Structures are given as structure tokens and as C-alpha cells.
């Protein structure tokens, strides 16, 4: 079976914030959408984010008198290590409209703004809820679910426990995707958007992590166990080009469970903890870095100093 293009249905692989943003945008434009996620529920790593979402020239910033601009955000991004100005410009100039869209379309509270590491201005937005990543991501999931329910699955569908296996091609054009669910194989046809996340939780010897950053294989990860690079591999198998896969970020802080210190998957100790005054101490009880520095800087200072390290907060 071949898809007829242009097609009214689009397929989104991945049910995190990127995938649900794509799904909701498609629905706004009048397309039908099916979202595939291999986990038993959507949300991905996005639902675990605890700091907020960055944006410049937002309505919230203007209301609070924060004199941030796209040019300042762009300068921070480039000085923070970005190597591709054209991508940084898209990131920055779309950030403010994205934050405003979340507030307007999904009635989200993003009224609190903080300055976190690597930023020269207050631009990390969150609401009064404790877990902004979960709040934002689930609002988008619920919108797709609502449309699915009201349309009887004709306009929108979310299929969980669905592992995308292969992109279907016709004359070098991707026309759909094959996936498995419950031991059965299925196919969906239409344009495909890959929003399936990274590969930081795949420690197997044939993983993308082993291929691009074998020096990091010994470290634990804050990624969910689902982050094994499936979408990237599927794309590469049909000739898609990948970009900057060697840029794997090492976050300086994670929560260590007593008695399970060597666990490969840990929960992130978010940057917001340092943004509100948390101090990093080395084995001797001394500060060794500017806690508001970029993540690569803080991590680099850790390599130079003596472990174990502790993140200290007051009440």
C-alpha cells in the first residue's frame, strides 16, 4: 500500500514535548495525526524536567520589566558553545512565541521567571507547580487525547507500547512507518516526524553512545530507559543525515539513592536547585565552582577536584 501525497494524516514518532508539540501544531493546521510511543505512557524525558522552559522577549518578561532580547539570548547561546549560528537563531527567535503559545493555547501558568546557568538574563519560565516539565508536557498530551476522544479517533490517535521499527519508503520518499505492538506488526502511512529523543540510556556495545562517545559509557544517565536512539537509527537506515551526535551533554548533578549508588539510571538534580542558591561542595567541604556557570564548566571543575561532591540547600 502506498500513501497519496499530499496526505491528510501525519505520523509522529515519540510522545514527549517535541512530539506533542508537533502533533498539536499539525492539528491546528487541519491535519489528522497519529502519535506512536514505545512506552506504556507518553511524556518521555520532557515530563521529568524540573527547571522550566527558556524564552526571550516573552509576554511574561515584558510584564515583569525584564529587558531581555533575542540578540542577548543568541549571544548567550553562541558563547555557551553553539557551533551553528543558523540553528541557534531558529532556537532563539522561536523561543518567545513558543512560550506565549503554551500560555495562550493550553492556558499554562508560566508566570515565574528565573536566571539559570549559562544565561545572562532571567528567561527560564515556569509556573507555581513543582514540576514544570510534567505540567507543560501533560497539557499538550491531554489536548491530543481530548481531540481523539471527541473525534472517535478519526482526527487524532495516540498509540502506546508501539515500537517503531522501520520507515517505509517509495522511490526514496518516506511514506510511512512500520511498528510493532503486542507482538503484532502494523503500518501507518503518511509523512513521518521523528521526535523520539536521544540515545543516552543505551549502554550496549553497538549503541550510538558507544559509537560517538565511548568515553562516557562509564557514567550514569538521567535519561529514561527508553532513550536508545531508535528514531535516529531508523532515519540513518534510509539515508537521513545526522548532525552533531558527538555532542552528548554531561549534567553535573544527579540524585543518588543510598544503597544503590552505582545505578546506571539516576534522577536529575535540576539546574534550578543551583539557580535558587544551592552550593556545590567537594570532598573537603569547599566550593570549587560558580554554581551558575554553564554545565560543561561545572562538570569540568568536578573532573579537576576530589569526589564525592555534594549539592547543599537550606530549608
Amino acid at each position: 500500500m502506498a500513501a497519496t501525497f499530499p496526505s491528510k494524516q501525519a505520523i509522529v514518532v515519540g510522545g514527549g514535548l517535541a512530539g506533542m508539540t508537533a502533533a498539536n501544531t499539525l492539528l491546528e493546521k487541519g491535519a489528522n495525526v497519529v502519535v506512536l510511543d514505545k512506552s506504556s505512557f507518553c511524556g518521555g524525558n520532557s515530563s521529568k524536567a524540573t527547571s522550566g522552559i527558556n524564552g526571550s522577549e516573552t509576554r511574561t518578561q515584558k510584564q515583569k520589566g525584564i529587558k531581555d532580547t533575542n540578540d542577548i539570548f543568541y549571544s548567550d547561546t553562541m558563547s555557551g558553545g553553539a557551533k551553528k549560528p543558523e540553528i541557534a537563531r531558529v532556537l532563539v527567535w522561536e523561543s518567545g512565541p513558543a512560550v506565549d503559545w503554551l500560555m495562550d493555547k493550553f492556558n499554562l501558568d508560566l508566570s515565574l521567571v528565573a536566571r539559570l546557568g549559562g544565561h545572562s538574563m532571567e528567561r527560564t519560565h515556569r509556573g507555581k507547580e513543582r514540576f514544570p516539565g510534567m505540567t507543560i508536557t501533560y497539557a499538550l498530551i491531554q489536548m491530543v487525547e481530548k481531540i481523539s476522544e471527541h473525534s472517535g479517533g478519526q482526527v487524532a490517535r495516540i498509540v502506546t507500547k508501539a515500537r517503531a521499527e522501520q520507515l517505509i519508503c517509495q522511490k526514496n520518499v518516506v511514506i510511512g512507518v512500520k511498528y510493532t505492538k503486542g507482538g503484532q506488526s502494523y503500518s501507518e502511512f503518511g509523512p513521518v516526524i521523528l521526535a523520539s529523543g536521544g540515545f543516552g540510556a543505551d549502554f550496549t556495545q553497538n549503541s550510538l553512545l558507544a559509537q560517538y562517545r565511548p568515553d562516557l559509557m562509564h557514567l550514569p544517565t538521567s535519561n529514561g530507559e527508553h532513550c536508545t536512539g531508535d528514531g535516529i537509527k531508523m532515519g540513518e537506515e534510509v539515508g537521513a543525515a545526522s548532525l552533531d551526535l558527538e555532542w552528548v551533554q554531561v549534567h553535573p548533578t544527579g540524585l543518588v539513592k543510598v544503597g544503590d549508588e552505582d545505578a546506571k539510571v539516576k534522577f536529575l538534580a535540576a539546574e534550578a536547585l543551583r539557580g535558587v542558591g544551592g552550593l556545590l561542595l567537594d570532598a573537603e567541604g569547599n566550593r570549587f565552582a560558580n554554581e551558575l556557570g554553564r554545565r560543561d564548566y561545572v562538570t569540568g571543575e568536578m573532573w579537576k577536584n576530589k569526589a564525592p561532591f555534594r549539592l547543599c540547600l537550606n530549608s
Side-chain angles (χ1 to χ4, degrees), residues 16-17 43-50 133-134 137 197-198 222-227:
L17 183 55
N45 281 338
S46 307
S47 62
K48 299 191 294 182
T50 53
M134 181 179 294
T137 306
S222 61
N223 286 279
E225 294 178 348
H226 56 275
C227 290

Side-chain angles (χ1 to χ4, degrees), residues 280-297:
L280 285 170
L281 305 179
D282 64 14
E284 308 297 331
N286 299 314
R287 289 180 68 190
F288 58 89
N290 175 3
E291 287 83 3
L292 292 181
R294 299 196 319 257
R295 294 172 184 175
D296 60 337
Y297 154 76

Side-chain angles (χ1 to χ4, degrees), residues 17 36 39 70 92 99 115 122-123 134 169 178 228-229 249 290 309:
L17 183 55
L36 306 177
S39 298
N70 292 334
V92 169
V99 171
R115 176 190 169 191
E122 296 169 288
R123 66 169 67 101
M134 181 179 294
C169 295
K178 293 181 180 178
T228 51
Q249 185 179 80
N290 175 3
F309 302 101

Side-chain angles (χ1 to χ4, degrees), residues 231-251:
I232 299 171
K233 292 175 182 178
M234 281 196 307
E236 289 183 336
E237 284 174 1
V238 298
S242 55
L243 186 70
D244 294 339
L245 296 188
E246 71 277 11
W247 289 99
V248 178
Q249 185 179 80
V250 178
H251 196 282

Side-chain angles (χ1 to χ4, degrees), residues 1-306:
M1 177 179 178
T4 301
F5 281 80
S7 172
K8 190 169 176 59
Q9 171 180 278
I11 305 149
V12 179
V13 180
L17 183 55
M20 288 301 169
T21 297
N24 278 282
T25 302
L26 287 161
L27 290 166
E28 284 184 347
K29 303 299 182 182
N32 295 345
V33 175
V34 56
V35 179
L36 306 177
D37 196 291
K38 72 179 182 181
S39 298
S40 57
F41 53 89
C42 291
N45 281 338
S46 307
S47 62
K48 299 191 294 182
T50 53
S51 293
I53 184 167
N54 295 313
S56 51
E57 299 188 15
T58 66
R59 190 163 65 247
T60 299
Q61 286 178 314
K62 293 170 185 175
Q63 291 170 348
K64 292 180 176 295
I66 299 170
K67 306 297 184 182
D68 194 15
T69 67
N70 292 334
D71 288 326
I72 296 173
F73 191 6
Y74 176 77
S75 177
D76 288 348
T77 303
M78 296 306 297
S79 63
K83 304 298 182 184
K84 295 183 170 55
E86 67 279 9
I87 296 177
R89 294 189 73 84
V90 173
L91 168 75
V92 169
W93 265 262
E94 293 294 333
S95 67
V99 171
D100 291 342
W101 178 71
L102 289 171
M103 293 190 293
D104 295 339
K105 177 73 175 179
F106 305 96
N107 197 32
L108 282 163
D109 173 21
L110 296 174
S111 60
L112 304 179
V113 190
R115 176 190 169 191
L116 299 189
H119 298 276
S120 62
M121 302 292 290
E122 296 169 288
R123 66 169 67 101
T124 304
H125 296 66
R126 60 181 295 151
K128 297 178 178 63
E129 296 84 0
R130 184 172 296 180
F131 299 105
M134 181 179 294
T135 302
I136 294 169
T137 306
Y138 274 73
L140 273 66
I141 294 171
Q142 288 167 356
M143 180 66 77
V144 178
E145 290 177 336
K146 180 180 178 180
I147 294 172
S148 176
E149 181 180 350
H150 286 179
S151 68
Q154 296 300 306
V155 175
R157 288 180 291 139
I158 298 175
V159 186
T160 56
K161 299 182 182 179
R163 180 182 291 271
E165 302 280 1
Q166 182 182 4
L167 294 170
I168 304 169
C169 295
Q170 186 179 71
K171 295 182 179 179
N172 296 321
V173 175
V174 175
I175 62 169
V177 62
K178 293 181 180 178
Y179 70 95
T180 56
K181 177 180 172 69
Q184 301 294 315
S185 181
Y186 302 89
S187 296
E188 293 285 349
F189 291 91
V192 180
I193 297 175
L194 297 176
S196 52
F199 52 86
D202 189 354
F203 296 104
T204 61
Q205 291 305 308
N206 63 344
S207 68
L208 292 170
L209 185 64
Q211 179 181 348
Y212 288 97
R213 291 302 302 271
D215 57 308
L216 302 181
M217 289 280 283
H218 68 289
L219 294 176
T221 183
S222 61
N223 286 279
E225 294 178 348
H226 56 275
C227 290
T228 51
D230 302 358
I232 299 171
K233 292 175 182 178
M234 281 196 307
E236 289 183 336
E237 284 174 1
V238 298
S242 55
L243 186 70
D244 294 339
L245 296 188
E246 71 277 11
W247 289 99
V248 178
Q249 185 179 80
V250 178
H251 196 282
T253 51
L255 300 177
V256 179
K257 182 179 178 181
V258 176
D260 195 17
E261 291 85 358
D262 295 327
K264 287 295 282 183
V265 176
K266 288 181 167 61
F267 201 86
L268 189 74
E271 200 162 47
L273 297 175
R274 289 179 278 130
V276 298
L279 300 179
L280 285 170
L281 305 179
D282 64 14
E284 308 297 331
N286 299 314
R287 289 180 68 190
F288 58 89
N290 175 3
E291 287 83 3
L292 292 181
R294 299 196 319 257
R295 294 172 184 175
D296 60 337
Y297 154 76
V298 177
T299 302
E301 292 303 301
M302 284 180 161
W303 293 127
K304 299 175 186 177
N305 286 275
K306 185 178 180 181

